[in-house]
Structure formats: structure tokens, C-alpha cells
Amino acid sequence: MRESDQNPKSLKLDFPSCEFEVRKALKQLACALEELGVGADVIGSAEVVLGEVLNNIVEHAYGSSAQGRIVMTLMLRAADLRFLVVDEGRALPMKELPHGTLPRLDGPLEGLPEGGFGWYLVRKLATDLTYQRKAGHNELGFSILR
């Protein structure tokens, strides 16, 4: 994992796309934000959104048989935290962000879904979501309000 020290209001992490490295990156991000005086609720929102985004990259963009790199850049701004996440995995279906609708939650308890909440949470907690596929890279940008 590499970290940029060029600007104390920015952080750049470059790490392999595996679950263990994602956990390390999330922990490093949370510690850096805490040191910068970012509130616990904002850090929590950033961790939830990034956890969903990064785990989707590991699971879907690269898949279980492939491993690549993930580059995450954070710009700490007065009103928000701005993130850019870049990977070289497969493009999102239809090259657009999922709608993030909740799965059906009616019916018996044993019939309720275990997943399907990720993009709903991302869309609820993040603002200014952008996605583009450029030169074989996925570029996902979003902000978390402070």
C-alpha cells in the first residue's frame, strides 16, 4: 500500500484488490481522517460507502480468479470528502451506476434477502456520484458531506 504525503489534505492509497488489502485500506483511511479531525459519523459514512465500493471491485470488477490494483484518492475539502476510486477490472453493467433500489422486504423472515443493499447505501450516504469507463479503467467519484 502506498500513501501520498504531498498534501496533508489529500490521501492516495494504491493496493491490491483482495479482501485483506481492502480492510487494511479502510483502517488506514479511518485513522488518517481521525487524525485530521473528521467526525466519527462522517468517517463511518465514508467507511460504509468505500466498503461497498471496494468490495464490489474485488468481487465483481476483478472477480475471484483475477487480481489487480485499486487506487483510491481522497481530497479533504471544507464541505465534504471527495473520493476517486480507479480500477482496471470489468466495467459496470451497461457502463452505468446501479440504481440502488432496495430489495423486497416483505414476506417470511427466512425468505428475506441477505444482500442487495450495497448500492442503496452508497446512494443514500454519498453525493455527486460519477462513473466513467476510460482507457480500460473504471473511475468512480463521490463525496461524503461533512
Side-chain angles (χ1 to χ4, degrees), residues 100-138:
T101 54
L102 278 175
R104 292 185 60 114
L105 300 176
D106 54 355
L109 182 61
E110 57 276 353
L112 294 177
E114 291 182 29
F117 300 93
W119 279 104
Y120 172 79
L121 289 171
V122 169
R123 288 192 173 274
K124 281 294 189 192
L125 297 172
T127 62
D128 302 322
L129 277 156
T130 61
Y131 171 77
Q132 64 178 342
R133 179 79 178 178
K134 191 163 98 177
H137 293 82
N138 295 306

Short mmCIF file of all heavy atoms in Angstrom, two decimals, residues 100-138:
data_model
loop_
_atom_site.label_atom_id
_atom_site.label_comp_id
_atom_site.label_asym_id
_atom_site.label_seq_id
_atom_site.Cartn_x
_atom_site.Cartn_y
_atom_site.Cartn_z
N GLY A 100 -29.64 1.25 -7.23
CA GLY A 100 -29.60 1.20 -5.77
C GLY A 100 -30.96 1.12 -5.12
O GLY A 100 -31.18 1.69 -4.06
N THR A 101 -31.87 0.39 -5.73
CA THR A 101 -33.18 0.21 -5.12
C THR A 101 -33.12 -0.93 -4.12
O THR A 101 -32.37 -1.90 -4.29
CB THR A 101 -34.25 -0.10 -6.18
OG1 THR A 101 -33.82 -1.22 -6.96
CG2 THR A 101 -34.47 1.09 -7.10
N LEU A 102 -33.87 -0.79 -3.06
CA LEU A 102 -33.91 -1.83 -2.03
C LEU A 102 -34.59 -3.08 -2.55
O LEU A 102 -35.58 -3.00 -3.29
CB LEU A 102 -34.69 -1.33 -0.81
CG LEU A 102 -33.95 -0.46 0.17
CD1 LEU A 102 -34.90 0.06 1.24
CD2 LEU A 102 -32.81 -1.21 0.82
N PRO A 103 -34.10 -4.26 -2.15
CA PRO A 103 -34.82 -5.48 -2.49
C PRO A 103 -36.12 -5.54 -1.68
O PRO A 103 -36.27 -4.84 -0.68
CB PRO A 103 -33.86 -6.59 -2.07
CG PRO A 103 -32.91 -5.97 -1.12
CD PRO A 103 -32.87 -4.50 -1.42
N ARG A 104 -37.03 -6.37 -2.13
CA ARG A 104 -38.30 -6.52 -1.41
C ARG A 104 -38.04 -7.06 -0.01
O ARG A 104 -37.27 -7.99 0.17
CB ARG A 104 -39.24 -7.43 -2.18
CG ARG A 104 -39.71 -6.81 -3.48
CD ARG A 104 -40.74 -7.71 -4.13
NE ARG A 104 -41.86 -7.87 -3.23
CZ ARG A 104 -43.09 -7.43 -3.47
NH1 ARG A 104 -43.35 -6.79 -4.58
NH2 ARG A 104 -44.05 -7.62 -2.60
N LEU A 105 -38.71 -6.46 0.96
CA LEU A 105 -38.50 -6.87 2.34
C LEU A 105 -39.77 -7.43 2.98
O LEU A 105 -39.86 -7.55 4.20
CB LEU A 105 -37.99 -5.67 3.16
CG LEU A 105 -36.66 -5.09 2.69
CD1 LEU A 105 -36.30 -3.86 3.50
CD2 LEU A 105 -35.56 -6.13 2.77
N ASP A 106 -40.77 -7.74 2.15
CA ASP A 106 -41.98 -8.34 2.70
C ASP A 106 -41.88 -9.86 2.59
O ASP A 106 -41.02 -10.39 1.91
CB ASP A 106 -43.22 -7.81 1.98
CG ASP A 106 -43.14 -7.98 0.47
OD1 ASP A 106 -42.09 -8.41 -0.03
OD2 ASP A 106 -44.12 -7.65 -0.21
N GLY A 107 -42.71 -10.54 3.28
CA GLY A 107 -42.68 -11.99 3.25
C GLY A 107 -42.07 -12.54 4.53
O GLY A 107 -41.70 -11.80 5.43
N PRO A 108 -41.95 -13.87 4.57
CA PRO A 108 -41.43 -14.51 5.79
C PRO A 108 -39.94 -14.18 6.01
O PRO A 108 -39.19 -13.92 5.07
CB PRO A 108 -41.62 -16.00 5.52
CG PRO A 108 -41.73 -16.13 4.05
CD PRO A 108 -42.29 -14.83 3.54
N LEU A 109 -39.55 -14.19 7.26
CA LEU A 109 -38.19 -13.85 7.66
C LEU A 109 -37.15 -14.69 6.92
O LEU A 109 -36.14 -14.17 6.45
CB LEU A 109 -38.02 -14.01 9.17
CG LEU A 109 -36.67 -13.65 9.76
CD1 LEU A 109 -36.35 -12.17 9.49
CD2 LEU A 109 -36.64 -13.92 11.24
N GLU A 110 -37.40 -15.98 6.79
CA GLU A 110 -36.42 -16.85 6.13
C GLU A 110 -36.31 -16.57 4.63
O GLU A 110 -35.36 -16.98 3.98
CB GLU A 110 -36.71 -18.34 6.38
CG GLU A 110 -38.09 -18.80 5.96
CD GLU A 110 -39.17 -18.54 7.02
OE1 GLU A 110 -38.86 -18.12 8.14
OE2 GLU A 110 -40.33 -18.77 6.69
N GLY A 111 -37.25 -15.84 4.08
CA GLY A 111 -37.22 -15.51 2.65
C GLY A 111 -36.59 -14.16 2.35
O GLY A 111 -36.47 -13.77 1.19
N LEU A 112 -36.20 -13.43 3.39
CA LEU A 112 -35.61 -12.10 3.17
C LEU A 112 -34.21 -12.23 2.56
O LEU A 112 -33.47 -13.15 2.88
CB LEU A 112 -35.55 -11.32 4.48
CG LEU A 112 -36.90 -10.95 5.09
CD1 LEU A 112 -36.69 -10.24 6.43
CD2 LEU A 112 -37.68 -10.06 4.15
N PRO A 113 -33.85 -11.29 1.70
CA PRO A 113 -32.54 -11.37 1.05
C PRO A 113 -31.40 -11.07 2.02
O PRO A 113 -31.56 -10.33 2.98
CB PRO A 113 -32.62 -10.27 -0.02
CG PRO A 113 -33.62 -9.30 0.51
CD PRO A 113 -34.62 -10.11 1.29
N GLU A 114 -30.24 -11.69 1.76
CA GLU A 114 -29.05 -11.43 2.56
C GLU A 114 -28.24 -10.27 1.99
O GLU A 114 -27.44 -9.67 2.68
CB GLU A 114 -28.17 -12.68 2.61
CG GLU A 114 -28.78 -13.80 3.40
CD GLU A 114 -27.86 -15.01 3.48
OE1 GLU A 114 -26.64 -14.82 3.43
OE2 GLU A 114 -28.38 -16.12 3.59
N GLY A 115 -28.41 -9.98 0.72
CA GLY A 115 -27.64 -8.92 0.07
C GLY A 115 -28.55 -8.02 -0.73
O GLY A 115 -29.77 -8.06 -0.62
N GLY A 116 -27.94 -7.18 -1.56
CA GLY A 116 -28.70 -6.28 -2.40
C GLY A 116 -28.87 -4.90 -1.83
O GLY A 116 -29.62 -4.08 -2.35
N PHE A 117 -28.19 -4.62 -0.72
CA PHE A 117 -28.34 -3.32 -0.06
C PHE A 117 -27.21 -2.36 -0.36
O PHE A 117 -27.28 -1.18 -0.03
CB PHE A 117 -28.44 -3.52 1.46
CG PHE A 117 -29.60 -4.38 1.88
CD1 PHE A 117 -29.43 -5.74 2.06
CD2 PHE A 117 -30.84 -3.83 2.08
CE1 PHE A 117 -30.49 -6.54 2.43
CE2 PHE A 117 -31.92 -4.61 2.46
CZ PHE A 117 -31.74 -5.98 2.63
N GLY A 118 -26.13 -2.85 -0.96
CA GLY A 118 -24.91 -2.06 -1.13
C GLY A 118 -25.09 -0.76 -1.89
O GLY A 118 -24.74 0.32 -1.37
N TRP A 119 -25.60 -0.82 -3.11
CA TRP A 119 -25.74 0.41 -3.90
C TRP A 119 -26.82 1.32 -3.32
O TRP A 119 -26.74 2.53 -3.48
CB TRP A 119 -25.99 0.09 -5.37
CG TRP A 119 -24.69 -0.21 -6.04
CD1 TRP A 119 -24.20 -1.44 -6.39
CD2 TRP A 119 -23.67 0.73 -6.36
NE1 TRP A 119 -22.95 -1.31 -6.93
CE2 TRP A 119 -22.59 0.01 -6.93
CE3 TRP A 119 -23.55 2.11 -6.24
CZ2 TRP A 119 -21.43 0.63 -7.37
CZ3 TRP A 119 -22.39 2.73 -6.68
CH2 TRP A 119 -21.34 1.99 -7.23
N TYR A 120 -27.80 0.74 -2.62
CA TYR A 120 -28.78 1.58 -1.93
C TYR A 120 -28.06 2.43 -0.88
O TYR A 120 -28.26 3.65 -0.79
CB TYR A 120 -29.87 0.72 -1.28
CG TYR A 120 -30.79 1.51 -0.40
CD1 TYR A 120 -31.82 2.28 -0.95
CD2 TYR A 120 -30.62 1.53 0.98
CE1 TYR A 120 -32.66 3.02 -0.14
CE2 TYR A 120 -31.46 2.28 1.79
CZ TYR A 120 -32.48 3.02 1.23
OH TYR A 120 -33.31 3.77 2.04
N LEU A 121 -27.19 1.80 -0.08
CA LEU A 121 -26.44 2.52 0.95
C LEU A 121 -25.50 3.56 0.33
O LEU A 121 -25.39 4.68 0.83
CB LEU A 121 -25.64 1.55 1.81
CG LEU A 121 -26.45 0.67 2.74
CD1 LEU A 121 -25.57 -0.41 3.36
CD2 LEU A 121 -27.12 1.50 3.82
N VAL A 122 -24.83 3.19 -0.75
CA VAL A 122 -23.94 4.12 -1.42
C VAL A 122 -24.71 5.36 -1.85
O VAL A 122 -24.31 6.50 -1.61
CB VAL A 122 -23.24 3.46 -2.64
CG1 VAL A 122 -22.52 4.49 -3.50
CG2 VAL A 122 -22.27 2.38 -2.16
N ARG A 123 -25.85 5.16 -2.48
CA ARG A 123 -26.65 6.30 -2.98
C ARG A 123 -27.25 7.13 -1.84
O ARG A 123 -27.47 8.31 -2.00
CB ARG A 123 -27.72 5.82 -3.94
CG ARG A 123 -27.13 5.38 -5.27
CD ARG A 123 -28.20 5.19 -6.31
NE ARG A 123 -27.67 4.92 -7.63
CZ ARG A 123 -27.29 5.85 -8.49
NH1 ARG A 123 -27.38 7.12 -8.18
NH2 ARG A 123 -26.84 5.52 -9.68
N LYS A 124 -27.52 6.51 -0.70
CA LYS A 124 -28.07 7.25 0.44
C LYS A 124 -27.01 8.07 1.17
O LYS A 124 -27.29 9.15 1.69
CB LYS A 124 -28.72 6.28 1.45
CG LYS A 124 -30.08 5.82 1.04
CD LYS A 124 -31.04 6.98 1.05
CE LYS A 124 -32.45 6.57 0.85
NZ LYS A 124 -33.33 7.70 0.58
N LEU A 125 -25.79 7.56 1.25
CA LEU A 125 -24.75 8.21 2.05
C LEU A 125 -23.81 9.11 1.24
O LEU A 125 -23.17 9.99 1.81
CB LEU A 125 -23.91 7.14 2.77
CG LEU A 125 -24.66 6.29 3.79
CD1 LEU A 125 -23.78 5.15 4.29
CD2 LEU A 125 -25.15 7.15 4.95
N ALA A 126 -23.72 8.89 -0.06
CA ALA A 126 -22.79 9.66 -0.91
C ALA A 126 -23.56 10.63 -1.80
O ALA A 126 -24.73 10.44 -2.08
CB ALA A 126 -21.96 8.71 -1.77
N THR A 127 -22.86 11.69 -2.20
CA THR A 127 -23.43 12.65 -3.15
C THR A 127 -22.48 12.76 -4.34
O THR A 127 -21.35 12.27 -4.31
CB THR A 127 -23.60 14.04 -2.51
OG1 THR A 127 -22.31 14.54 -2.13
CG2 THR A 127 -24.51 13.99 -1.30
N ASP A 128 -22.94 13.41 -5.38
CA ASP A 128 -22.13 13.69 -6.57
C ASP A 128 -21.48 12.43 -7.13
O ASP A 128 -20.30 12.44 -7.49
CB ASP A 128 -21.04 14.74 -6.26
CG ASP A 128 -21.61 16.04 -5.74
OD1 ASP A 128 -22.68 16.45 -6.24
OD2 ASP A 128 -21.00 16.64 -4.85
N LEU A 129 -22.25 11.36 -7.23
CA LEU A 129 -21.73 10.12 -7.79
C LEU A 129 -21.47 10.26 -9.28
O LEU A 129 -22.34 10.74 -10.03
CB LEU A 129 -22.75 8.99 -7.59
CG LEU A 129 -22.73 8.31 -6.24
CD1 LEU A 129 -24.08 7.69 -5.95
CD2 LEU A 129 -21.64 7.28 -6.18
N THR A 130 -20.28 9.85 -9.70
CA THR A 130 -19.94 9.85 -11.12
C THR A 130 -19.26 8.54 -11.45
O THR A 130 -18.58 7.94 -10.60
CB THR A 130 -18.98 11.01 -11.48
OG1 THR A 130 -17.76 10.86 -10.75
CG2 THR A 130 -19.60 12.36 -11.17
N TYR A 131 -19.47 8.08 -12.68
CA TYR A 131 -18.79 6.88 -13.15
C TYR A 131 -18.46 7.04 -14.61
O TYR A 131 -19.28 7.55 -15.39
CB TYR A 131 -19.67 5.63 -12.97
CG TYR A 131 -19.08 4.41 -13.65
CD1 TYR A 131 -18.01 3.72 -13.08
CD2 TYR A 131 -19.56 3.97 -14.87
CE1 TYR A 131 -17.45 2.62 -13.70
CE2 TYR A 131 -19.01 2.87 -15.50
CZ TYR A 131 -17.95 2.20 -14.92
OH TYR A 131 -17.39 1.11 -15.55
N GLN A 132 -17.25 6.63 -14.96
CA GLN A 132 -16.89 6.57 -16.37
C GLN A 132 -15.92 5.43 -16.59
O GLN A 132 -15.15 5.07 -15.69
CB GLN A 132 -16.33 7.89 -16.87
CG GLN A 132 -15.04 8.32 -16.27
CD GLN A 132 -14.53 9.63 -16.88
OE1 GLN A 132 -14.95 10.04 -17.95
NE2 GLN A 132 -13.63 10.28 -16.19
N ARG A 133 -15.99 4.89 -17.77
CA ARG A 133 -15.03 3.88 -18.21
C ARG A 133 -14.12 4.59 -19.19
O ARG A 133 -14.58 5.12 -20.20
CB ARG A 133 -15.78 2.73 -18.88
CG ARG A 133 -14.89 1.63 -19.41
CD ARG A 133 -14.43 0.73 -18.31
NE ARG A 133 -13.60 -0.35 -18.87
CZ ARG A 133 -13.04 -1.27 -18.15
NH1 ARG A 133 -13.18 -1.26 -16.84
NH2 ARG A 133 -12.31 -2.19 -18.70
N LYS A 134 -12.83 4.65 -18.85
CA LYS A 134 -11.90 5.43 -19.65
C LYS A 134 -10.59 4.66 -19.80
O LYS A 134 -9.97 4.32 -18.79
CB LYS A 134 -11.67 6.78 -18.97
CG LYS A 134 -10.94 7.81 -19.78
CD LYS A 134 -11.14 9.20 -19.18
CE LYS A 134 -9.96 9.55 -18.33
NZ LYS A 134 -10.05 10.91 -17.77
N ALA A 135 -10.20 4.40 -21.04
CA ALA A 135 -8.93 3.75 -21.35
C ALA A 135 -8.72 2.47 -20.53
O ALA A 135 -7.65 2.25 -19.96
CB ALA A 135 -7.77 4.73 -21.13
N GLY A 136 -9.76 1.64 -20.45
CA GLY A 136 -9.65 0.37 -19.73
C GLY A 136 -9.73 0.48 -18.23
O GLY A 136 -9.45 -0.49 -17.52
N HIS A 137 -10.09 1.64 -17.71
CA HIS A 137 -10.20 1.88 -16.27
C HIS A 137 -11.63 2.24 -15.90
O HIS A 137 -12.31 2.93 -16.66
CB HIS A 137 -9.31 3.04 -15.83
CG HIS A 137 -7.85 2.78 -15.96
ND1 HIS A 137 -7.19 2.91 -17.16
CD2 HIS A 137 -6.94 2.40 -15.05
CE1 HIS A 137 -5.92 2.62 -16.97
NE2 HIS A 137 -5.74 2.30 -15.70
N ASN A 138 -12.04 1.82 -14.72
CA ASN A 138 -13.27 2.31 -14.10
C ASN A 138 -12.88 3.45 -13.19
O ASN A 138 -11.94 3.33 -12.40
CB ASN A 138 -13.94 1.22 -13.26
CG ASN A 138 -14.40 0.06 -14.10
OD1 ASN A 138 -15.13 0.23 -15.07
ND2 ASN A 138 -13.94 -1.14 -13.76
#
